[in-house]
Amino acid sequence: MNLIKVGVIGIGNMGSSHVQILDKGQIEGAILTAICSSNENRIDWVKNHTSGDVQIFRDEETFLTESGIDAVVIATPHYSHPEIAINAFTKGIHVLIEKPAGVYTKNVLEMNEAAKASEKVFGIMYNQRANPLYQILRELIHSGKLGDIKRTNWIVTDTYRSQSYYDSSKWRATWKGEGGGVLLNQALHQLDIWQWATGLMPKRVNAVSSFGKYHDIEVEDEVTAYVEYENGATGVFITSTGEVPGTNRLEVVGDLGKIIVENEELTFYRLTQSEREFNRLYKDGFGRPEYKKIDIPVKSENANHVNIIQNWIDSIITGSPLLAPGEEGVKALEISNAIYLSSWLNQTVELPVDPDQYYEKLQEKISTSTFEKKHVTNNTLDVKGTH
Amino acid sequence: MNLIKVGVIGIGNMGSSHVQILDKGQIEGAILTAICSSNENRIDWVKNHTSGDVQIFRDEETFLTESGIDAVVIATPHYSHPEIAINAFTKGIHVLIEKPAGVYTKNVLEMNEAAKASEKVFGIMYNQRANPLYQILRELIHSGKLGDIKRTNWIVTDTYRSQSYYDSSKWRATWKGEGGGVLLNQALHQLDIWQWATGLMPKRVNAVSSFGKYHDIEVEDEVTAYVEYENGATGVFITSTGEVPGTNRLEVVGDLGKIIVENEELTFYRLTQSEREFNRLYKDGFGRPEYKKIDIPVKSENANHVNIIQNWIDSIITGSPLLAPGEEGVKALEISNAIYLSSWLNQTVELPVDPDQYYEKLQEKISTSTFEKKHVTNNTLDVKGTH
């Protein structure tokens, strides 16, 4: 069988990592045959760091038309993901996009339509979905073992960034260049897992975001969001790039107990009786249902980019299901768009937010921006140890 | 030296416990000489459960005037605390009130005035202030070891109550009888420790409370409150009586690290360098300040009622400082009043809330209440294991 010819467009922090994964032959059934970048330094880097016969393109259109690739990994800045993906689908190329799916839902929904029309395989780099920790969490919830969810709480502050990180590129942490901060960049994986593992999308969001609180940036570096779900459950999501050492602790409470995911471990406090039932039947005041503490042994794996790329290639070859279908990229984005909108309007917003309203508000942020980056170093950063 | 003659008024769950502590001679320098209750069953209980010569009163005025007590422990339903305390101060009697100080700040501030004018010793049963766990937390923060506070987060859901608890008294969990639910009754200690240990009172509160969500009651049994502090720090406080097994986890993040208090243990993640300084000086993108994890050995003690009563008696005898001065009872109440007001108005409120506005809103809740308790068992509950 022929190998799937893969191209990578965008050779920044993540793109460089994907180039190496593909070039080292870590993905069965695939071969890196082309890259596209407009940055000569990064092109030089590709030449020096790949062993195979990799064609170099400087222009997206030529890359997609003339490289002969079957599939493309899109790792360009956030805003361009939907446009490039739509272009690729039109040309019959399978697509794997880096997260976020885009910056606003308006063109992400258009991308989803284009993907559907093309019948090509469309994946998104939600690599945390390949983390066994969250797979087990999801299984416990979806199998009904936790019972109806009452409350969720995720503190994601192990996402520290110093000013020098933000200074590494001109586009970083600007409304125009990146379209958001910690929410869109560092904590988006968790926004996805939050809805994917629980199976619940928030219905209402009331959020406060602090813009440039801990850094000289114009986008948010601290967020607290309160959400309500259709079934009456409530939730809180907190993230920040200004804390050391951060916390990464997810708590999901259900009628049959509580699950804590923290320090890369999962603990299930499992009730021997439904709390709702106990509440009705118990007669003696201070009692509570009994429970067992179950430490579920699971090997957490954070950097599952390889798994996601392999899963996408497998799907192209055999039609097997995707762990992270590209169409689902819109979900975390709907949550993040709602959090931004609630923060900007200083009021509770319903989900999904109107794509046009969000788009206009974002354009307003861009057009009224007076922020200028003082020190831009133009460094490509080693993403080892980040997710 | 003569023993301080102590009376206890209100022989419900907590009053019964205090009667036994005093009667068993657990408090040095004090003797139980009188009680006051209007409930004949509870009077019988006192007769059967005290060994000393305890005078019985059925009427507050006679009790305070004729019993000859030097000091009174007030453990009546919440609403009556300020009125009885003011009466006692007027008669020159030292006062220890059960929490909460009252239900609304309006008359609690009047009580504080009366206490000041009387020059008597005024304490409040904030027994968690005697918990070594929170004393060490406070010391770490007040000594500056944690640096400027950035964020606080307290999940207090180990406060489960079944319907039968709420059914144990007619006044429980009604606006008229108790003036609030989980916030005023179960989580008030934590509201106090939250401000006492950090030294920070919220400036703004945006809260959502769910009323009768998990129980057939008219007051709140789940609360999520977002707060902002004067120094720019943010915080979240979550409590519920509908979850098993609950969580009791406090996280305080500062410029010099993070403190976690959970499972009756305190862990200090101490940075070797200020984060704010690191942020300014570091140049290499993904780095973060180094830290040491310090498990601080501390014996948590939850039920410190004896310590608080002893501390109050000592203060009466020797003038030593109080751990929980009664005047500080208003602080947690200011927070809880603000949380209620924010929840009712569905908007952010500034602290302190206007005492008159809060009082009027509460009267409205009482006068428009149509709630009727279906099953009242009139049980006095054993408070062992509760705080």
Side-chain angles (χ1 to χ4, degrees):
Chain A
M1 200 198 63
N2 289 335
L3 294 172
I4 302 293
K5 285 176 267 180
V6 181
V8 175
I9 180 166
I11 313 296
N13 299 346
M14 295 312 308
S16 306
S17 166
H18 303 328
V19 161
Q20 293 198 301
I21 287 169
L22 286 156
D23 183 66
K24 283 179 185 159
Q26 288 186 261
I27 306 299
E28 211 174 318
I31 181 169
L32 178 72
T33 61
I35 68 99
C36 182
S37 172
S38 58
N39 181 327
E40 291 301 327
N41 289 334
R42 301 313 299 156
I43 289 171
D44 285 347
W45 180 91
V46 171
K47 288 179 182 166
N48 295 329
H49 288 80
T50 52
S51 47
D53 186 17
V54 180
Q55 308 169 72
I56 307 288
F57 294 86
R58 285 165 179 82
D59 162 74
E60 174 193 329
E61 195 57 29
T62 323
F63 167 65
L64 293 177
T65 318
E66 299 181 7
S67 64
I69 54 173
D70 305 305
V72 64
V73 177
I74 301 174
T76 52
H78 306 166
Y79 272 105
S80 57
H81 295 172
E83 193 188 314
I84 302 175
I86 290 169
N87 196 3
F89 287 129
T90 312
K91 296 177 168 62
I93 298 170
H94 303 286
V95 171
L96 178 66
I97 48 169
E98 255 300 332
K99 56 87 197 171
V103 173
Y104 46 90
T105 55
K106 192 176 158 80
N107 63 355
V108 168
L109 292 169
E110 288 165 10
M111 169 174 68
N112 286 355
E113 287 300 312
K116 200 176 164 191
S118 76
E119 296 182 359
K120 293 293 148 185
V121 178
F122 178 30
I124 183 166
M125 189 54 83
Y126 278 153
N127 51 299
Q128 288 296 325
R129 290 197 184 185
N131 189 337
L133 203 57
Y134 298 126
Q135 292 187 333
I136 288 175
L137 171 70
R138 184 171 196 261
E139 198 280 322
L140 287 172
I141 294 171
H142 285 245
S143 65
K145 290 192 184 75
L146 188 62
D148 286 346
I149 290 177
K150 294 174 170 180
R151 195 172 56 75
T152 69
N153 186 283
W154 205 337
I155 303 174
V156 187
T157 53
D158 63 340
T159 38
Y160 182 71
R161 296 293 185 269
S162 68
Q163 186 63 40
S164 61
Y165 164 83
Y166 291 110
D167 292 343
S168 69
S169 308
K170 193 165 183 292
W171 60 278
R172 259 208 198 289
T174 62
W175 293 119
K176 187 179 174 187
E178 199 165 24
V182 59
L183 210 53
L184 206 58
N185 200 316
Q186 284 76 35
L188 198 86
H189 288 299
Q190 284 80 10
L191 287 184
D192 177 57
I193 298 295
W194 196 25
Q195 66 80 21
W196 176 73
T198 60
L200 295 178
M201 276 291 282
K203 283 301 288 178
R204 268 175 298 281
V205 171
N206 192 337
V208 177
S209 302
S210 301
F211 303 97
K213 182 175 185 177
Y214 292 114
H215 307 90
D216 187 21
I217 54 174
E218 64 177 354
V219 296
E220 85 289 355
D221 52 9
E222 187 188 81
V223 173
T224 304
Y226 166 79
V227 304
E228 292 173 354
Y229 300 98
E230 191 71 59
N231 74 343
T234 63
V236 168
F237 190 93
I238 295 167
T239 188
S240 168
T241 58
E243 299 182 10
V244 187
T247 294
N248 189 338
R249 180 185 185 277
L250 170 62
E251 164 168 327
V252 185
V253 180
D255 182 42
L256 294 171
K258 177 174 81 167
I259 299 172
I260 305 285
V261 182
E262 190 179 12
N263 302 325
E264 318 224 319
E265 286 171 2
L266 189 151
T267 308
F268 183 18
Y269 300 83
R270 188 174 192 176
L271 303 193
T272 53
Q273 181 185 7
S274 145
E275 182 283 319
R276 298 284 71 205
E277 181 184 82
F278 178 90
N279 180 64
R280 274 197 310 279
L281 302 179
Y282 185 70
K283 294 299 168 206
D284 291 336
F286 278 117
R288 60 188 66 193
E290 289 181 8
Y291 65 90
K292 285 179 188 160
K293 183 180 177 217
I294 307 168
D295 291 306
I296 296 182
V298 46
K299 200 176 167 320
S300 171
E301 290 168 19
N302 273 318
N304 300 288
H305 299 104
V306 171
N307 308 37
I308 294 291
I309 301 175
Q310 187 66 63
N311 174 254
W312 171 64
I313 295 293
D314 289 348
S315 182
I316 293 170
I317 298 174
T318 70
S320 58
L322 285 173
L323 194 53
E327 288 82 357
E328 293 183 16
V330 76
K331 292 191 176 185
L333 207 58
E334 278 180 346
I335 302 175
S336 72
N337 281 194
I339 291 175
Y340 284 118
L341 195 61
S342 172
S343 301
W344 291 335
L345 301 176
N346 194 23
Q347 68 183 42
T348 300
V349 303
E350 304 274 329
L351 267 81
V353 301
D354 176 39
D356 289 317
Q357 186 193 9
Y358 187 77
Y359 178 75
E360 280 157 31
K361 275 278 161 200
L362 179 63
Q363 295 312 308
E364 196 183 303
K365 289 287 154 195
I366 293 168
S367 63
T368 60
S369 169
T370 56
F371 184 82
E372 277 201 39
K373 284 218 170 183
K374 292 182 198 74
H375 313 282
V376 178
T377 55
N378 285 321
N379 290 332
T380 300
L381 304 172
D382 184 348
V383 295
K384 259 183 213 133
T386 76
H387 316 154
Chain B
M1 199 198 62
N2 290 335
L3 294 172
I4 302 293
K5 283 175 270 180
V6 181
V8 175
I9 181 167
I11 314 296
N13 299 346
M14 295 311 308
S16 307
S17 166
H18 302 330
V19 160
Q20 292 197 301
I21 287 169
L22 286 156
D23 183 66
K24 282 181 185 159
Q26 288 186 261
I27 306 300
E28 211 175 316
I31 181 170
L32 177 73
T33 61
I35 68 98
C36 181
S37 172
S38 58
N39 179 328
E40 291 301 327
N41 288 334
R42 300 315 298 155
I43 288 171
D44 285 347
W45 180 91
V46 171
K47 287 179 182 166
N48 294 331
H49 288 80
T50 52
S51 47
D53 187 16
V54 180
Q55 308 170 72
I56 307 289
F57 293 87
R58 286 166 179 82
D59 163 74
E60 174 192 328
E61 194 59 29
T62 324
F63 167 65
L64 293 177
T65 318
E66 298 182 6
S67 65
I69 56 173
D70 305 305
V72 64
V73 178
I74 300 174
T76 52
H78 305 165
Y79 271 105
S80 57
H81 295 173
E83 192 187 316
I84 301 176
I86 290 169
N87 196 2
F89 287 129
T90 312
K91 296 179 167 63
I93 298 171
H94 303 287
V95 171
L96 179 66
I97 47 169
E98 256 300 333
K99 54 89 198 171
V103 173
Y104 45 90
T105 56
K106 191 177 158 81
N107 63 355
V108 167
L109 293 168
E110 289 167 9
M111 170 174 69
N112 286 355
E113 286 301 311
K116 199 176 166 190
S118 76
E119 296 182 0
K120 293 293 151 185
V121 177
F122 178 31
I124 183 166
M125 189 55 82
Y126 277 153
N127 51 299
Q128 288 295 325
R129 289 197 186 186
N131 189 338
L133 203 58
Y134 297 127
Q135 292 185 333
I136 289 176
L137 171 69
R138 185 172 194 260
E139 199 280 322
L140 287 171
I141 295 171
H142 285 246
S143 65
K145 289 191 183 76
L146 187 64
D148 287 345
I149 290 177
K150 294 174 171 179
R151 196 172 56 75
T152 69
N153 186 283
W154 206 337
I155 303 174
V156 187
T157 52
D158 64 340
T159 39
Y160 182 72
R161 296 292 185 272
S162 68
Q163 186 63 41
S164 62
Y165 164 83
Y166 291 110
D167 292 342
S168 68
S169 308
K170 194 164 182 291
W171 60 277
R172 261 209 195 290
T174 62
W175 293 117
K176 186 178 175 187
E178 199 166 24
V182 61
L183 211 53
L184 206 59
N185 199 315
Q186 284 77 35
L188 198 87
H189 288 298
Q190 284 81 11
L191 287 183
D192 177 57
I193 298 294
W194 196 25
Q195 65 81 22
W196 176 74
T198 61
L200 295 178
M201 276 289 284
K203 284 302 289 176
R204 267 175 299 280
V205 171
N206 192 339
V208 177
S209 303
S210 301
F211 304 96
K213 182 175 186 177
Y214 292 115
H215 307 91
D216 187 21
I217 54 175
E218 66 177 353
V219 297
E220 85 289 356
D221 52 9
E222 187 186 84
V223 173
T224 304
Y226 166 78
V227 304
E228 292 175 354
Y229 301 97
E230 190 71 59
N231 74 343
T234 62
V236 168
F237 190 93
I238 294 167
T239 188
S240 167
T241 57
E243 299 180 9
V244 186
T247 293
N248 189 336
R249 179 183 185 279
L250 170 61
E251 163 166 329
V252 186
V253 180
D255 182 42
L256 295 171
K258 175 174 82 166
I259 299 172
I260 305 285
V261 183
E262 190 180 12
N263 302 326
E264 317 225 319
E265 286 172 2
L266 189 150
T267 308
F268 182 18
Y269 299 85
R270 189 174 191 175
L271 303 193
T272 54
Q273 180 184 7
S274 144
E275 183 283 318
R276 297 285 70 206
E277 181 184 84
F278 178 90
N279 181 64
R280 274 196 311 279
L281 302 178
Y282 185 71
K283 296 299 168 207
D284 292 334
F286 279 116
R288 59 187 68 195
E290 289 180 8
Y291 65 89
K292 286 177 188 161
K293 183 180 176 217
I294 306 167
D295 291 305
I296 296 182
V298 46
K299 200 177 168 317
S300 170
E301 291 168 18
N302 272 317
N304 298 288
H305 299 103
V306 171
N307 309 38
I308 294 290
I309 302 176
Q310 187 66 62
N311 174 255
W312 172 63
I313 294 293
D314 289 348
S315 183
I316 293 170
I317 297 172
T318 70
S320 58
L322 285 172
L323 194 54
E327 288 83 356
E328 293 183 15
V330 77
K331 293 191 176 184
L333 207 58
E334 277 178 346
I335 303 174
S336 72
N337 281 192
I339 292 175
Y340 284 119
L341 196 62
S342 172
S343 301
W344 291 335
L345 300 176
N346 194 22
Q347 69 183 41
T348 299
V349 301
E350 304 274 328
L351 267 78
V353 301
D354 177 40
D356 289 316
Q357 187 193 7
Y358 186 76
Y359 178 75
E360 279 158 32
K361 276 279 162 201
L362 179 61
Q363 296 310 311
E364 198 181 301
K365 289 287 155 195
I366 294 169
S367 63
T368 60
S369 168
T370 55
F371 184 81
E372 275 200 42
K373 283 219 170 181
K374 291 182 199 74
H375 313 283
V376 179
T377 54
N378 285 317
N379 290 333
T380 299
L381 304 173
D382 184 348
V383 295
K384 263 185 210 129
T386 75
H387 314 155

